[in-house]
Amino acid sequence: MPEMEWSDFWSPVGLSLKVSLLAGIIAFLIAGYIAWLMAGKKFWGKTILETIFMLPMVLPPTVVGFLLLMAFGRRSPVGKLFETLAGLPIVFTWGAAVLSAAVVAFPLAYQSAKAGFASIDRDLLSAGRSMGASEWQVLFYIAVPLAQRSLTIAFVLSFTRALGEFGATLMLAGNIPGRTQTLPTAIYMAVESGDTTTAWAWAAFMILISFLLLALSGRRSEKEE
């Protein structure tokens, strides 16, 4: 087989890092804020709502991708509106890859952030409010520093989960080299074509990035203990 050009090797790497970073940030911010709103609160339907939040983690990725395709495809109301306003569809773009990865990464980010906020002494939060702090000030100056370890883990998990997303991304964004082909889909295609050398190189890169991030977050947690 002909040797792969370096540009071909780095194309899915660069796209995956861009998609994973944006998806990780989106999932982390949304999950973190919802976890803050939900922490310590009891209301009817909370269990059902949190079960819905966790569904992307247990559903097959192809099911998640199918639901996203029905919700944001070119025939859906959201897809039609977006295409009218933006002049291009959501599907088969790198933005669709970001959307898919963020949805799949959300549950892990939510769980970690929720655990961090739930571990905070509620009296500390009440004391901040009694001193005139707004909810945003309580969140940023009290809750976030106290839950920093869990929030760091939440971001790392959301990034690494987004980096490894395959099924939902393939259904919503496709596998277009140079446009929507991320590392997982590139590895799949390399294996299908018999190019195991390139597949190993891409897989090793993903393993290295994930290992380094998890090791750094674990080391930081040890220092904070």
Side-chain angles (χ1 to χ4, degrees), residues 135-196:
E135 285 300 310
W136 284 106
Q137 289 174 322
V138 171
L139 172 61
F140 285 110
Y141 294 107
I142 301 177
V144 169
L146 291 175
Q148 186 175 12
R149 182 191 308 175
S150 295
L151 293 177
T152 300
I153 294 174
F155 176 73
V156 170
L157 290 177
S158 63
F159 175 85
T160 53
R161 182 63 188 87
L163 184 64
E165 166 50 32
F166 173 73
T169 300
L170 185 62
M171 292 196 68
L172 191 65
N175 181 36
I176 307 172
R179 289 180 54 190
T180 66
Q181 187 180 67
T182 57
L183 278 172
T185 55
I187 291 171
Y188 175 79
M189 295 304 298
V191 173
E192 283 287 294
S193 63
D195 188 3
T196 55

Short mmCIF file of all heavy atoms in Angstrom, two decimals, residues 135-196:
data_model
loop_
_atom_site.label_atom_id
_atom_site.label_comp_id
_atom_site.label_asym_id
_atom_site.label_seq_id
_atom_site.Cartn_x
_atom_site.Cartn_y
_atom_site.Cartn_z
N GLU A 135 -26.34 34.88 43.42
CA GLU A 135 -26.18 33.46 43.11
C GLU A 135 -24.96 33.22 42.23
O GLU A 135 -24.26 32.22 42.39
CB GLU A 135 -27.44 32.94 42.41
CG GLU A 135 -28.61 32.72 43.34
CD GLU A 135 -28.30 31.71 44.44
OE1 GLU A 135 -27.80 30.60 44.12
OE2 GLU A 135 -28.53 32.03 45.61
N TRP A 136 -24.70 34.15 41.31
CA TRP A 136 -23.52 34.01 40.46
C TRP A 136 -22.24 34.15 41.28
O TRP A 136 -21.25 33.45 41.05
CB TRP A 136 -23.53 35.04 39.34
CG TRP A 136 -24.48 34.71 38.24
CD1 TRP A 136 -25.69 35.29 37.98
CD2 TRP A 136 -24.32 33.68 37.24
NE1 TRP A 136 -26.29 34.70 36.89
CE2 TRP A 136 -25.47 33.71 36.42
CE3 TRP A 136 -23.32 32.75 36.97
CZ2 TRP A 136 -25.64 32.85 35.34
CZ3 TRP A 136 -23.48 31.89 35.90
CH2 TRP A 136 -24.63 31.94 35.09
N GLN A 137 -22.23 35.07 42.25
CA GLN A 137 -21.06 35.23 43.11
C GLN A 137 -20.85 34.00 44.00
O GLN A 137 -19.71 33.57 44.21
CB GLN A 137 -21.21 36.49 43.96
CG GLN A 137 -21.08 37.78 43.16
CD GLN A 137 -21.37 39.00 43.99
OE1 GLN A 137 -22.27 39.00 44.84
NE2 GLN A 137 -20.63 40.08 43.76
N VAL A 138 -21.94 33.45 44.50
CA VAL A 138 -21.84 32.22 45.30
C VAL A 138 -21.27 31.09 44.46
O VAL A 138 -20.42 30.32 44.91
CB VAL A 138 -23.22 31.83 45.86
CG1 VAL A 138 -23.17 30.45 46.51
CG2 VAL A 138 -23.70 32.86 46.88
N LEU A 139 -21.72 31.02 43.22
CA LEU A 139 -21.25 29.96 42.33
C LEU A 139 -19.77 30.11 42.02
O LEU A 139 -18.99 29.15 42.19
CB LEU A 139 -22.06 29.98 41.03
CG LEU A 139 -21.57 29.05 39.90
CD1 LEU A 139 -21.61 27.59 40.34
CD2 LEU A 139 -22.41 29.26 38.65
N PHE A 140 -19.35 31.29 41.59
CA PHE A 140 -17.98 31.47 41.10
C PHE A 140 -16.95 31.63 42.22
O PHE A 140 -15.80 31.21 42.05
CB PHE A 140 -17.91 32.68 40.16
CG PHE A 140 -18.48 32.40 38.80
CD1 PHE A 140 -19.67 32.99 38.40
CD2 PHE A 140 -17.85 31.54 37.93
CE1 PHE A 140 -20.20 32.73 37.15
CE2 PHE A 140 -18.37 31.27 36.68
CZ PHE A 140 -19.55 31.87 36.28
N TYR A 141 -17.34 32.22 43.34
CA TYR A 141 -16.37 32.50 44.40
C TYR A 141 -16.38 31.50 45.55
O TYR A 141 -15.43 31.46 46.34
CB TYR A 141 -16.58 33.92 44.95
CG TYR A 141 -16.30 35.00 43.93
CD1 TYR A 141 -17.34 35.72 43.35
CD2 TYR A 141 -15.00 35.28 43.53
CE1 TYR A 141 -17.10 36.69 42.40
CE2 TYR A 141 -14.75 36.26 42.58
CZ TYR A 141 -15.80 36.96 42.01
OH TYR A 141 -15.53 37.91 41.06
N ILE A 142 -17.44 30.71 45.65
CA ILE A 142 -17.51 29.73 46.74
C ILE A 142 -17.60 28.31 46.19
O ILE A 142 -16.76 27.46 46.47
CB ILE A 142 -18.71 30.01 47.67
CG1 ILE A 142 -18.61 31.42 48.28
CG2 ILE A 142 -18.76 28.97 48.78
CD1 ILE A 142 -19.78 31.81 49.15
N ALA A 143 -18.63 28.06 45.36
CA ALA A 143 -18.90 26.69 44.91
C ALA A 143 -17.82 26.17 43.98
O ALA A 143 -17.32 25.05 44.16
CB ALA A 143 -20.27 26.63 44.24
N VAL A 144 -17.45 26.95 42.97
CA VAL A 144 -16.47 26.47 41.99
C VAL A 144 -15.11 26.17 42.64
O VAL A 144 -14.54 25.10 42.38
CB VAL A 144 -16.32 27.47 40.83
CG1 VAL A 144 -15.11 27.12 39.96
CG2 VAL A 144 -17.60 27.48 39.98
N PRO A 145 -14.56 27.05 43.48
CA PRO A 145 -13.27 26.70 44.12
C PRO A 145 -13.37 25.45 45.00
O PRO A 145 -12.43 24.64 45.01
CB PRO A 145 -12.96 27.94 44.96
CG PRO A 145 -13.67 29.06 44.27
CD PRO A 145 -14.94 28.45 43.77
N LEU A 146 -14.47 25.28 45.71
CA LEU A 146 -14.60 24.12 46.59
C LEU A 146 -14.80 22.83 45.80
O LEU A 146 -14.42 21.75 46.26
CB LEU A 146 -15.77 24.33 47.56
CG LEU A 146 -15.57 25.42 48.62
CD1 LEU A 146 -16.83 25.62 49.44
CD2 LEU A 146 -14.39 25.08 49.53
N ALA A 147 -15.40 22.93 44.62
CA ALA A 147 -15.66 21.75 43.79
C ALA A 147 -14.65 21.62 42.66
O ALA A 147 -14.88 20.89 41.70
CB ALA A 147 -17.07 21.80 43.22
N GLN A 148 -13.52 22.31 42.78
CA GLN A 148 -12.56 22.39 41.69
C GLN A 148 -12.07 21.02 41.23
O GLN A 148 -11.93 20.76 40.03
CB GLN A 148 -11.38 23.25 42.10
CG GLN A 148 -10.38 23.51 40.97
CD GLN A 148 -9.28 24.46 41.40
OE1 GLN A 148 -9.12 24.75 42.58
NE2 GLN A 148 -8.51 24.93 40.44
N ARG A 149 -11.81 20.13 42.15
CA ARG A 149 -11.29 18.81 41.78
C ARG A 149 -12.30 18.06 40.91
O ARG A 149 -11.94 17.51 39.86
CB ARG A 149 -10.98 17.99 43.04
CG ARG A 149 -10.37 16.62 42.73
CD ARG A 149 -10.34 15.74 43.96
NE ARG A 149 -9.70 16.41 45.09
CZ ARG A 149 -9.63 15.89 46.31
NH1 ARG A 149 -10.19 14.71 46.56
NH2 ARG A 149 -9.03 16.54 47.28
N SER A 150 -13.54 18.03 41.35
CA SER A 150 -14.57 17.33 40.58
C SER A 150 -14.83 18.00 39.24
O SER A 150 -15.09 17.33 38.23
CB SER A 150 -15.87 17.26 41.38
OG SER A 150 -15.71 16.49 42.54
N LEU A 151 -14.74 19.32 39.21
CA LEU A 151 -14.96 20.04 37.96
C LEU A 151 -13.84 19.78 36.97
O LEU A 151 -14.07 19.69 35.76
CB LEU A 151 -15.11 21.54 38.24
CG LEU A 151 -16.35 21.94 39.03
CD1 LEU A 151 -16.34 23.44 39.31
CD2 LEU A 151 -17.62 21.55 38.29
N THR A 152 -12.61 19.67 37.48
CA THR A 152 -11.49 19.33 36.60
C THR A 152 -11.69 17.96 35.98
O THR A 152 -11.49 17.76 34.77
CB THR A 152 -10.16 19.36 37.39
OG1 THR A 152 -9.95 20.67 37.92
CG2 THR A 152 -8.99 18.99 36.49
N ILE A 153 -12.08 17.01 36.81
CA ILE A 153 -12.36 15.66 36.31
C ILE A 153 -13.51 15.69 35.31
O ILE A 153 -13.48 14.98 34.29
CB ILE A 153 -12.67 14.71 37.48
CG1 ILE A 153 -11.44 14.54 38.37
CG2 ILE A 153 -13.15 13.36 36.96
CD1 ILE A 153 -11.69 13.74 39.62
N ALA A 154 -14.52 16.52 35.58
CA ALA A 154 -15.67 16.62 34.67
C ALA A 154 -15.23 17.08 33.29
O ALA A 154 -15.67 16.53 32.27
CB ALA A 154 -16.70 17.58 35.24
N PHE A 155 -14.33 18.07 33.24
CA PHE A 155 -13.87 18.56 31.94
C PHE A 155 -13.01 17.53 31.22
O PHE A 155 -13.15 17.30 30.02
CB PHE A 155 -13.10 19.86 32.08
CG PHE A 155 -12.53 20.34 30.77
CD1 PHE A 155 -13.35 20.89 29.80
CD2 PHE A 155 -11.17 20.22 30.49
CE1 PHE A 155 -12.85 21.30 28.58
CE2 PHE A 155 -10.66 20.63 29.28
CZ PHE A 155 -11.50 21.18 28.31
N VAL A 156 -12.11 16.89 31.97
CA VAL A 156 -11.23 15.88 31.36
C VAL A 156 -12.07 14.73 30.79
O VAL A 156 -11.82 14.26 29.67
CB VAL A 156 -10.21 15.35 32.39
CG1 VAL A 156 -9.47 14.13 31.83
CG2 VAL A 156 -9.22 16.44 32.75
N LEU A 157 -13.05 14.27 31.54
CA LEU A 157 -13.90 13.18 31.08
C LEU A 157 -14.73 13.58 29.86
O LEU A 157 -14.91 12.79 28.93
CB LEU A 157 -14.82 12.70 32.20
CG LEU A 157 -14.14 11.95 33.35
CD1 LEU A 157 -15.17 11.60 34.43
CD2 LEU A 157 -13.45 10.69 32.86
N SER A 158 -15.23 14.81 29.87
CA SER A 158 -16.03 15.26 28.73
C SER A 158 -15.15 15.38 27.48
O SER A 158 -15.58 15.03 26.37
CB SER A 158 -16.72 16.59 29.04
OG SER A 158 -15.77 17.62 29.27
N PHE A 159 -13.92 15.87 27.65
CA PHE A 159 -13.01 15.99 26.50
C PHE A 159 -12.63 14.63 25.95
O PHE A 159 -12.70 14.39 24.74
CB PHE A 159 -11.75 16.76 26.91
CG PHE A 159 -10.72 16.83 25.82
CD1 PHE A 159 -10.78 17.81 24.85
CD2 PHE A 159 -9.68 15.90 25.76
CE1 PHE A 159 -9.84 17.86 23.82
CE2 PHE A 159 -8.73 15.95 24.74
CZ PHE A 159 -8.82 16.93 23.77
N THR A 160 -12.23 13.71 26.83
CA THR A 160 -11.80 12.39 26.36
C THR A 160 -12.97 11.61 25.78
O THR A 160 -12.79 10.86 24.81
CB THR A 160 -11.14 11.60 27.50
OG1 THR A 160 -12.02 11.56 28.64
CG2 THR A 160 -9.83 12.23 27.91
N ARG A 161 -14.15 11.77 26.36
CA ARG A 161 -15.33 11.08 25.79
C ARG A 161 -15.65 11.64 24.42
O ARG A 161 -16.01 10.89 23.49
CB ARG A 161 -16.53 11.22 26.72
CG ARG A 161 -17.78 10.50 26.23
CD ARG A 161 -17.54 9.00 26.17
NE ARG A 161 -18.64 8.28 25.53
CZ ARG A 161 -18.76 8.09 24.22
NH1 ARG A 161 -17.83 8.55 23.39
NH2 ARG A 161 -19.78 7.42 23.73
N ALA A 162 -15.54 12.95 24.26
CA ALA A 162 -15.79 13.57 22.96
C ALA A 162 -14.74 13.12 21.95
O ALA A 162 -15.04 12.91 20.77
CB ALA A 162 -15.78 15.08 23.09
N LEU A 163 -13.50 12.95 22.40
CA LEU A 163 -12.42 12.52 21.52
C LEU A 163 -12.69 11.13 20.96
O LEU A 163 -12.34 10.82 19.82
CB LEU A 163 -11.09 12.54 22.27
CG LEU A 163 -9.83 12.22 21.47
CD1 LEU A 163 -9.58 13.28 20.41
CD2 LEU A 163 -8.63 12.10 22.40
N GLY A 164 -13.32 10.27 21.75
CA GLY A 164 -13.56 8.90 21.33
C GLY A 164 -14.92 8.65 20.71
O GLY A 164 -15.24 7.50 20.37
N GLU A 165 -15.73 9.69 20.55
CA GLU A 165 -17.07 9.50 20.01
C GLU A 165 -17.03 9.03 18.55
O GLU A 165 -16.29 9.57 17.73
CB GLU A 165 -17.87 10.80 20.12
CG GLU A 165 -19.14 10.86 19.32
CD GLU A 165 -20.04 9.65 19.52
OE1 GLU A 165 -20.05 9.07 20.62
OE2 GLU A 165 -20.71 9.26 18.55
N PHE A 166 -17.84 8.03 18.24
CA PHE A 166 -17.82 7.43 16.90
C PHE A 166 -19.21 7.32 16.28
O PHE A 166 -19.50 7.95 15.26
CB PHE A 166 -17.18 6.04 16.96
CG PHE A 166 -17.26 5.28 15.68
CD1 PHE A 166 -16.48 5.63 14.60
CD2 PHE A 166 -18.14 4.20 15.54
CE1 PHE A 166 -16.55 4.93 13.39
CE2 PHE A 166 -18.22 3.49 14.35
CZ PHE A 166 -17.41 3.86 13.28
N GLY A 167 -20.10 6.56 16.91
CA GLY A 167 -21.38 6.22 16.29
C GLY A 167 -22.28 7.39 15.99
O GLY A 167 -22.75 7.56 14.84
N ALA A 168 -22.52 8.23 16.99
CA ALA A 168 -23.41 9.38 16.78
C ALA A 168 -22.80 10.37 15.79
O ALA A 168 -23.51 10.95 14.96
CB ALA A 168 -23.68 10.07 18.12
N THR A 169 -21.48 10.55 15.88
CA THR A 169 -20.80 11.46 14.96
C THR A 169 -20.90 10.97 13.52
O THR A 169 -21.14 11.75 12.60
CB THR A 169 -19.31 11.59 15.35
OG1 THR A 169 -19.21 12.09 16.67
CG2 THR A 169 -18.58 12.52 14.40
N LEU A 170 -20.74 9.67 13.33
CA LEU A 170 -20.80 9.10 11.98
C LEU A 170 -22.18 9.31 11.37
O LEU A 170 -22.29 9.60 10.17
CB LEU A 170 -20.47 7.61 12.04
CG LEU A 170 -20.37 6.87 10.70
CD1 LEU A 170 -19.25 7.46 9.86
CD2 LEU A 170 -20.14 5.39 10.92
N MET A 171 -23.24 9.20 12.17
CA MET A 171 -24.59 9.33 11.64
C MET A 171 -24.96 10.78 11.36
O MET A 171 -25.65 11.07 10.37
CB MET A 171 -25.60 8.72 12.61
CG MET A 171 -25.49 7.22 12.74
SD MET A 171 -26.94 6.47 13.51
CE MET A 171 -28.20 6.73 12.27
N LEU A 172 -24.51 11.71 12.20
CA LEU A 172 -24.91 13.11 12.03
C LEU A 172 -23.92 13.90 11.18
O LEU A 172 -24.33 14.74 10.38
CB LEU A 172 -25.04 13.78 13.40
CG LEU A 172 -25.71 15.16 13.40
CD1 LEU A 172 -27.18 15.05 12.96
CD2 LEU A 172 -25.65 15.80 14.78
N ALA A 173 -22.62 13.63 11.34
CA ALA A 173 -21.62 14.42 10.61
C ALA A 173 -21.03 13.67 9.42
O ALA A 173 -20.42 14.28 8.54
CB ALA A 173 -20.49 14.81 11.57
N GLY A 174 -21.19 12.35 9.38
CA GLY A 174 -20.63 11.59 8.29
C GLY A 174 -19.14 11.34 8.46
O GLY A 174 -18.58 11.52 9.55
N ASN A 175 -18.50 10.94 7.38
CA ASN A 175 -17.07 10.61 7.41
C ASN A 175 -16.41 11.19 6.16
O ASN A 175 -15.96 10.46 5.28
CB ASN A 175 -16.90 9.09 7.49
CG ASN A 175 -15.44 8.67 7.54
OD1 ASN A 175 -14.62 9.35 8.16
ND2 ASN A 175 -15.11 7.58 6.87
N ILE A 176 -16.36 12.49 6.11
CA ILE A 176 -15.81 13.18 4.94
C ILE A 176 -14.37 13.60 5.25
O ILE A 176 -14.14 14.46 6.11
CB ILE A 176 -16.64 14.43 4.59
CG1 ILE A 176 -18.12 14.05 4.44
CG2 ILE A 176 -16.13 15.07 3.31
CD1 ILE A 176 -19.04 15.24 4.29
N PRO A 177 -13.38 13.00 4.59
CA PRO A 177 -11.98 13.35 4.86
C PRO A 177 -11.72 14.84 4.71
O PRO A 177 -12.14 15.46 3.74
CB PRO A 177 -11.20 12.54 3.81
CG PRO A 177 -12.10 11.37 3.51
CD PRO A 177 -13.51 11.92 3.59
N GLY A 178 -11.05 15.40 5.71
CA GLY A 178 -10.73 16.82 5.67
C GLY A 178 -11.85 17.73 6.14
O GLY A 178 -11.63 18.92 6.36
N ARG A 179 -13.06 17.18 6.33
CA ARG A 179 -14.19 18.01 6.74
C ARG A 179 -14.84 17.49 8.02
O ARG A 179 -15.05 18.26 8.96
CB ARG A 179 -15.24 18.09 5.62
CG ARG A 179 -14.81 18.93 4.43
CD ARG A 179 -15.90 18.95 3.38
NE ARG A 179 -17.19 19.38 3.92
CZ ARG A 179 -18.33 19.29 3.25
NH1 ARG A 179 -18.35 18.78 2.03
NH2 ARG A 179 -19.46 19.70 3.80
N THR A 180 -15.19 16.22 8.05
CA THR A 180 -15.86 15.68 9.24
C THR A 180 -15.22 14.39 9.73
O THR A 180 -15.74 13.79 10.67
CB THR A 180 -17.36 15.39 8.93
OG1 THR A 180 -17.45 14.34 7.96
CG2 THR A 180 -18.06 16.63 8.41
N GLN A 181 -14.14 13.97 9.13
CA GLN A 181 -13.52 12.70 9.53
C GLN A 181 -12.68 12.90 10.79
O GLN A 181 -11.61 13.49 10.76
CB GLN A 181 -12.64 12.14 8.42
CG GLN A 181 -12.11 10.74 8.73
CD GLN A 181 -11.25 10.19 7.63
OE1 GLN A 181 -10.16 10.69 7.36
NE2 GLN A 181 -11.73 9.14 6.96
N THR A 182 -13.18 12.39 11.91
CA THR A 182 -12.45 12.46 13.17
C THR A 182 -11.61 11.19 13.34
O THR A 182 -11.68 10.27 12.52
CB THR A 182 -13.43 12.59 14.35
OG1 THR A 182 -14.34 11.48 14.33
CG2 THR A 182 -14.21 13.89 14.26
N LEU A 183 -10.81 11.15 14.39
CA LEU A 183 -9.92 10.01 14.60
C LEU A 183 -10.65 8.66 14.69
O LEU A 183 -10.22 7.69 14.05
CB LEU A 183 -9.07 10.24 15.86
CG LEU A 183 -7.83 11.10 15.66
CD1 LEU A 183 -7.19 11.43 17.00
CD2 LEU A 183 -6.83 10.40 14.76
N PRO A 184 -11.73 8.54 15.46
CA PRO A 184 -12.41 7.24 15.51
C PRO A 184 -12.90 6.75 14.15
O PRO A 184 -12.74 5.57 13.82
CB PRO A 184 -13.58 7.49 16.47
CG PRO A 184 -13.12 8.60 17.35
CD PRO A 184 -12.32 9.48 16.43
N THR A 185 -13.48 7.66 13.35
CA THR A 185 -13.95 7.24 12.03
C THR A 185 -12.77 6.97 11.10
O THR A 185 -12.84 6.07 10.25
CB THR A 185 -14.87 8.31 11.41
OG1 THR A 185 -14.19 9.58 11.38
CG2 THR A 185 -16.14 8.44 12.21
N ALA A 186 -11.69 7.73 11.25
CA ALA A 186 -10.50 7.49 10.43
C ALA A 186 -9.89 6.13 10.75
O ALA A 186 -9.44 5.41 9.84
CB ALA A 186 -9.48 8.61 10.66
N ILE A 187 -9.85 5.78 12.03
CA ILE A 187 -9.32 4.48 12.43
C ILE A 187 -10.18 3.36 11.84
O ILE A 187 -9.66 2.36 11.34
CB ILE A 187 -9.26 4.37 13.96
CG1 ILE A 187 -8.19 5.32 14.51
CG2 ILE A 187 -8.96 2.94 14.40
CD1 ILE A 187 -8.19 5.44 16.02
N TYR A 188 -11.49 3.53 11.91
CA TYR A 188 -12.41 2.53 11.37
C TYR A 188 -12.16 2.32 9.88
O TYR A 188 -12.07 1.18 9.40
CB TYR A 188 -13.84 2.96 11.62
CG TYR A 188 -14.88 2.06 11.00
CD1 TYR A 188 -15.23 0.85 11.61
CD2 TYR A 188 -15.50 2.40 9.80
CE1 TYR A 188 -16.16 0.01 11.04
CE2 TYR A 188 -16.44 1.57 9.23
CZ TYR A 188 -16.77 0.38 9.84
OH TYR A 188 -17.70 -0.46 9.27
N MET A 189 -12.04 3.42 9.14
CA MET A 189 -11.83 3.31 7.71
C MET A 189 -10.46 2.71 7.38
O MET A 189 -10.31 1.96 6.41
CB MET A 189 -11.97 4.69 7.05
CG MET A 189 -13.36 5.29 7.14
SD MET A 189 -14.66 4.19 6.46
CE MET A 189 -14.13 4.09 4.75
N ALA A 190 -9.45 3.04 8.20
CA ALA A 190 -8.11 2.48 7.97
C ALA A 190 -8.11 0.97 8.17
O ALA A 190 -7.51 0.22 7.40
CB ALA A 190 -7.10 3.14 8.91
N VAL A 191 -8.81 0.52 9.21
CA VAL A 191 -8.90 -0.92 9.46
C VAL A 191 -9.68 -1.61 8.34
O VAL A 191 -9.30 -2.69 7.87
CB VAL A 191 -9.57 -1.19 10.82
CG1 VAL A 191 -9.84 -2.68 11.00
CG2 VAL A 191 -8.70 -0.67 11.95
N GLU A 192 -10.76 -0.97 7.89
CA GLU A 192 -11.56 -1.54 6.80
C GLU A 192 -10.74 -1.69 5.52
O GLU A 192 -10.94 -2.64 4.76
CB GLU A 192 -12.78 -0.65 6.53
CG GLU A 192 -13.90 -0.80 7.54
CD GLU A 192 -14.65 -2.11 7.37
OE1 GLU A 192 -15.30 -2.31 6.33
OE2 GLU A 192 -14.55 -2.96 8.28
N SER A 193 -9.82 -0.75 5.28
CA SER A 193 -9.01 -0.80 4.06
C SER A 193 -7.74 -1.61 4.24
O SER A 193 -6.94 -1.72 3.30
CB SER A 193 -8.66 0.62 3.61
OG SER A 193 -7.86 1.27 4.60
N GLY A 194 -7.53 -2.16 5.44
CA GLY A 194 -6.36 -2.98 5.69
C GLY A 194 -5.11 -2.22 6.07
O GLY A 194 -4.03 -2.81 6.19
N ASP A 195 -5.22 -0.93 6.31
CA ASP A 195 -4.07 -0.10 6.68
C ASP A 195 -3.93 -0.08 8.21
O ASP A 195 -4.20 0.93 8.86
CB ASP A 195 -4.25 1.31 6.13
CG ASP A 195 -3.00 2.16 6.30
OD1 ASP A 195 -1.98 1.64 6.80
OD2 ASP A 195 -3.06 3.35 5.94
N THR A 196 -3.49 -1.20 8.77
CA THR A 196 -3.40 -1.30 10.22
C THR A 196 -2.28 -0.43 10.80
O THR A 196 -2.35 -0.04 11.96
CB THR A 196 -3.18 -2.76 10.64
OG1 THR A 196 -2.03 -3.30 9.96
CG2 THR A 196 -4.39 -3.61 10.31
#
